[in-house]
Amino acid sequence: MISRRDFLQVGMAASAVVGASGFGNWAKLAARQKLTQDKLLEFGKFGNVSLIHITDIHAQLKPIYFREPEVNIGVGPNRGLVPHITGSDFRKAYGLVDGSPSAYALTHDDFASLAREYGKVGGLDRVATVVNAIRSDRPDAILLDGGDTWHGSYTCYHTKGQDMVNVMNALKPDAMTFHWEFTLGQERLREMVGKLPFGALGQNIFDAEWDEPSEEFEDYRFFERGGVRIAVIGQAFPYMPIANPGWMFPDFSFGIRDNRMREIVGEVREQGADLVVALSHNGFDVDKRMAGNVEGIDVMLSGHTHDAIPEPVVVGNTVIVASGSNGKFVSRIDLDVQNGQMKGFRHKLIPIFSDVIEPDPEMTALIDMQRAPYLDKMKEVVGRTESTLYRRGNFNGTWDDLICGALIDERDADIALSPGVRWGPSLIPGDDITREDIWNVTSMTYGKAYRVEMSGEFLKVVLEDVADNIFNPNPYYQQGGDMVRVGGMGYSIDVSKPQGERISDMTLLKSGEVIDPARNYVVAGWASVNENTEGPQIWDVVENHVRKLGTVEVTPNRNVKVSGT
C-alpha cells in the first residue's frame, strides 16, 4: 500500500515531469523563445481542487521590470538549498537555458539586455487575465492573496491603500493575510478590513492587551469546492513590531504561535476539513520550519521573502509554494483530494510577461481610474539612468546605493543607512527616472529621513543586530528583511559566525580610516521605527539628488566583503 507521503512525492514528480502541465513546459517553450498566452496558461486537467496564489504585489498596478536577486545566502540547514541559489546555479537546478525568457524571469544575469528583448512583467490587468482563464477552466478555483498588497506606490500612499482595495475587490480573491498593510495604521486598517468582501485571515494576530486572538481577523475560513471541504488558515507576518513601527498598531500582537497553529489545524480537521491550506506571510525558510513543526498542513502558500520557485518544495507531507512578488507570477496548484486525503498535486508558476498576456480591458480601465488623479505628478521625469537600478538581494542594490548617496549629499552626512526592504521595481539603462519610479522604492508611511550622530560602537551594534536577523541559522530568529544598506562605509561580514562576531573591518570611505568605536559620526537614514522621527521625506531627498545629477550612473559596490557562505 502506497503511503500518503509517497503519493505526494509522486505528485511532485508528475508536476516536474509532465511537460504539458508543469513548469517544465513553459521553460522549454521559453528556451525556444516561442511563448504565447495560450501556452503560458496551458494546464492539463488534474484533480478536483484548484488554488490560485498571488503575494507581495506591493501596490504595483502596471507592468514593471523586476530583477531577481544575485545574492541570496542560506545559512544553517538551508545553506545551498532553494531559494538560496541564484544565477547559473539556479538555471542548472531547473534546466533553464541561458538567455531564454525563463532565465530572464527567474535569474539576474544579463538582465538589462534580456529586459529589452522580453519586456516588462506583471500588471494586475494581466494578472486578471490569468486568473479569469484559470477560473474559466476551473470555476470553483480559490484565489488567495498572501499580503503586502496595500503598500508600495505613489497612489497607494496618497489613497491610504484604497486604490489597491478597489482593484483587488474587482479581482475577487477569496481570502488574504497581512504584513505591510498594518503600517497604514490600525484605525485605517480596521476601516478597510471591516468592508472587505472576502476573508481577512490571521490565526496569529492577537489582541495585545488581553493576549487573546483578535476578533477583527478570522483564524480560518472554510470553502466547499469540488466535493471537498477546504480550510484556509491565515498566518500574518509574525515579527511586525520588530520589522515595522509597533506604535502604528499598538492594539495588536503577532508571533509564530506554532502551538496555536497546531490547535487550529486540529480544530478544522475536527470540523471535517479534507484539505488544510496555510496562507502564510512568514517567509520561505520560516514556512519550511513551521511545516516541519506542525503536522496536518497539506499546502503552505508562502510569502514575504519574494522567492519565485518554479517547483514546490515538500516538507514531510506539506507542499510549499512560493509565487514571487510585484505581480510578476501567479501560481496555479491543482490537487487530487479523495476521502479526506491529498493524493497528489500539479503546480505551475505562471510568469506574467506583459507583452505576451493580453490585459483584461475592464481591469485596465479600473486601474487607470485609480491612477488618473495622480498621473501628471507621477509621470514627471526627474532624471535618467545609465545603470540598471535594482534592489532585490541580501546586500546593497544599485537603487539602495543611489538612495544612500542622496542621504549623504542632501543631509550632509558621513554615513547613510537604508533599510533592507525587498520591494521595489527595477529600471534599465536608458530609462527615464520618474517621480513614480522613486516612490516605488521609497513609499511608506514612516519615510522621514533622519540625521543623527552615532558612535562607531553603536554602528557595529546596528550591523550585528540586522545581520543576526538574516543569518541566524534558526529561521525563527530571522526576523527582518535583507541586510541594512550602507553608504559611505565599508565592512566585512562572515555569515557563518555567531551573533556579535559577524562584522569587522568597518571603514569610513571618504578618508579610508578605520571606524573608531569611540568617535561619533553623522549618520543619515530613513524608515526609523521611532515614533517622533524628524526630517524630510525620503522621496523628496532622492528626487532632489536625482535632479542635481541629471543622469545617474551607479558603479558596482565593492565595499561589503562577504565570507562564510
Side-chain angles (χ1 to χ4, degrees):
M1 179 178 178
I2 190 166
S3 70
R4 185 174 182 221
R5 179 171 180 171
D6 289 335
F7 268 124
L8 292 174
Q9 291 174 338
V10 167
M12 181 174 65
S15 171
V17 172
V18 179
S21 60
F23 159 77
N25 187 51
W26 81 256
K28 292 172 185 175
L29 289 164
R32 296 196 298 268
Q33 303 184 10
K34 294 180 180 178
L35 288 174
T36 66
Q37 178 171 306
D38 288 344
K39 290 296 185 182
L40 283 175
L41 299 179
E42 191 175 64
F43 197 106
K45 290 283 188 181
F46 183 83
N48 51 341
V49 173
S50 291
L51 307 176
I52 309 169
H53 183 228
I54 53 177
T55 191
D56 295 278
I57 293 169
H58 285 287
Q60 295 306 311
L61 295 171
K62 289 289 188 178
I64 57 166
Y65 295 117
F66 189 84
R67 182 186 187 269
E68 296 297 328
E70 182 174 350
V71 179
N72 188 357
I73 298 169
V75 293
N78 293 303
R79 181 177 179 179
L81 301 179
V82 292
H84 304 292
I85 56 173
T86 63
S88 60
D89 291 335
F90 191 99
R91 293 194 296 278
K92 182 178 180 181
Y94 292 104
L96 310 185
V97 175
D98 290 359
S100 66
S102 52
Y104 165 58
L106 291 162
T107 59
H108 70 278
D109 296 293
D110 205 20
F111 176 78
S113 62
L114 293 178
R116 291 189 184 96
E117 184 173 357
Y118 298 122
K120 293 184 177 182
V121 295
L124 283 187
D125 49 3
R126 276 79 168 176
V127 169
T129 296
V130 172
V131 169
N132 291 340
I134 297 172
R135 283 172 167 159
S136 177
D137 185 45
R138 299 292 281 260
D140 57 357
I142 301 173
L143 173 60
L144 300 170
D145 174 7
D148 277 2
T149 305
W150 309 339
H151 159 269
S153 73
Y154 187 99
T155 56
C156 191
Y157 179 91
H158 284 88
T159 65
K160 299 181 180 179
Q162 193 62 47
D163 65 327
M164 292 307 300
V165 171
N166 294 343
V167 172
M168 292 304 293
N169 284 353
L171 198 60
K172 298 180 180 178
D174 293 283
M176 73 177 292
T177 193
F178 304 89
H179 172 200
W180 275 91
E181 289 80 6
F182 276 90
T183 65
L184 291 167
Q186 63 184 28
E187 295 311 316
R188 174 61 175 153
L189 185 67
R190 283 178 169 133
E191 177 188 359
M192 298 164 80
V193 166
K195 297 177 182 178
L196 288 181
F198 51 84
L201 308 183
Q203 68 84 24
N204 62 327
I205 304 176
F206 271 44
D207 181 289
E209 181 179 1
W210 298 101
D211 194 31
E212 295 177 348
S214 171
E215 295 180 355
E216 299 172 74
F217 297 87
E218 299 173 67
D219 296 327
Y220 55 85
R221 182 168 283 200
F222 270 103
F223 302 91
E224 301 278 350
R225 305 291 168 87
V228 176
R229 188 162 166 78
I230 304 156
V232 178
I233 303 171
Q235 174 74 10
F237 181 59
Y239 304 118
M240 288 296 306
I242 296 171
N244 305 99
W247 56 267
M248 289 185 159
F249 37 87
D251 291 354
F252 298 99
S253 66
F254 303 86
I256 292 289
R257 303 191 190 276
D258 272 353
N259 287 335
R260 184 153 201 277
M261 179 64 88
R262 291 188 191 96
E263 293 173 3
I264 295 296
V265 170
E267 181 177 319
V268 298
R269 289 292 186 187
E270 288 176 2
Q271 294 181 42
D274 302 304
L275 182 76
V276 176
V277 178
L279 179 61
S280 171
H281 204 88
N282 281 336
F284 197 79
D285 289 349
V286 178
D287 281 329
K288 285 176 62 179
R289 178 71 179 270
M290 178 174 279
N293 288 350
V294 179
E295 293 185 3
I297 300 173
D298 296 301
V299 179
M300 182 164 276
L301 303 176
S302 185
H304 177 61
T305 39
H306 292 198
D307 307 299
I309 303 179
E311 296 169 6
V313 171
V314 180
V315 175
N317 291 332
T318 303
V319 177
I320 307 177
V321 173
S323 305
S325 68
N326 287 266
K328 188 177 179 181
F329 298 95
V330 172
S331 282
R332 173 176 175 174
I333 312 99
D334 281 13
L335 304 127
D336 183 21
V337 184
Q338 304 293 335
N339 301 318
Q341 289 190 327
M342 183 170 67
K343 302 294 187 179
F345 68 89
R346 297 272 174 84
H347 161 271
K348 189 171 186 178
L349 181 70
I350 303 169
I352 309 300
F353 292 118
S354 63
D355 290 343
V356 176
I357 296 173
E358 289 291 329
D360 177 81
E362 292 183 6
M363 185 64 85
T364 299
L366 178 60
I367 289 170
D368 289 345
M369 184 185 303
Q370 311 308 307
R371 291 167 53 82
Y374 310 98
L375 200 57
D376 288 345
K377 288 186 176 180
M378 288 195 297
K379 291 305 180 184
E380 184 174 337
V381 174
V382 299
R384 180 180 176 87
T385 182
E386 292 303 323
S387 303
T388 298
L389 297 179
Y390 66 91
R391 168 173 281 157
R392 180 79 169 88
N394 288 150
F395 299 96
N396 282 49
T398 47
W399 260 125
D400 304 300
D401 291 330
L402 180 59
I403 292 169
C404 285
L407 286 165
I408 289 172
D409 289 352
E410 298 295 316
R411 301 291 281 150
D412 191 22
D414 301 314
I415 294 166
L417 300 178
S418 189
V421 293
R422 299 183 179 92
W423 44 272
S426 307
L427 297 178
I428 61 175
D431 277 354
D432 288 333
I433 302 174
T434 65
R435 181 172 290 121
E436 180 176 23
D437 295 324
I438 292 171
W439 277 74
N440 279 344
V441 293
T442 58
S443 175
M444 63 167 63
T445 53
Y446 52 103
K448 290 185 177 179
Y450 59 82
R451 184 180 186 273
V452 297
E453 289 192 357
M454 294 184 186
S455 69
E457 180 182 23
F458 185 72
L459 279 165
K460 185 175 188 299
V461 169
V462 169
L463 294 180
E464 291 281 6
D465 283 351
V466 178
D468 197 59
N469 275 341
I470 305 164
F471 301 118
N472 192 300
N474 183 344
Y476 278 11
Y477 289 95
Q478 295 173 7
Q479 300 170 347
D482 284 309
M483 192 65 188
V484 61
R485 285 49 166 124
V486 176
M489 186 179 77
Y491 65 93
S492 297
I493 178 169
D494 185 339
V495 301
S496 68
K497 292 287 184 68
Q499 184 175 13
E501 299 179 18
R502 294 186 178 94
I503 306 297
S504 61
D505 303 326
M506 294 167 60
T507 305
L508 189 65
L509 295 181
K510 67 181 181 181
S511 65
E513 299 172 358
V514 173
I515 296 290
D516 183 348
R519 177 184 161 188
N520 281 352
Y521 299 86
V522 177
V523 177
W526 64 291
S528 170
V529 298
N530 296 321
E531 183 171 4
N532 296 313
T533 300
E534 296 182 355
Q537 296 286 6
I538 185 62
W539 43 83
D540 293 330
V541 172
V542 177
E543 180 175 325
N544 290 340
H545 183 64
V546 171
R547 284 189 184 280
K548 290 175 183 176
L549 292 175
T551 298
V552 169
E553 290 191 68
V554 183
T555 57
N557 189 328
R558 312 291 188 196
N559 300 316
V560 179
K561 311 296 184 184
V562 183
S563 61
T565 60

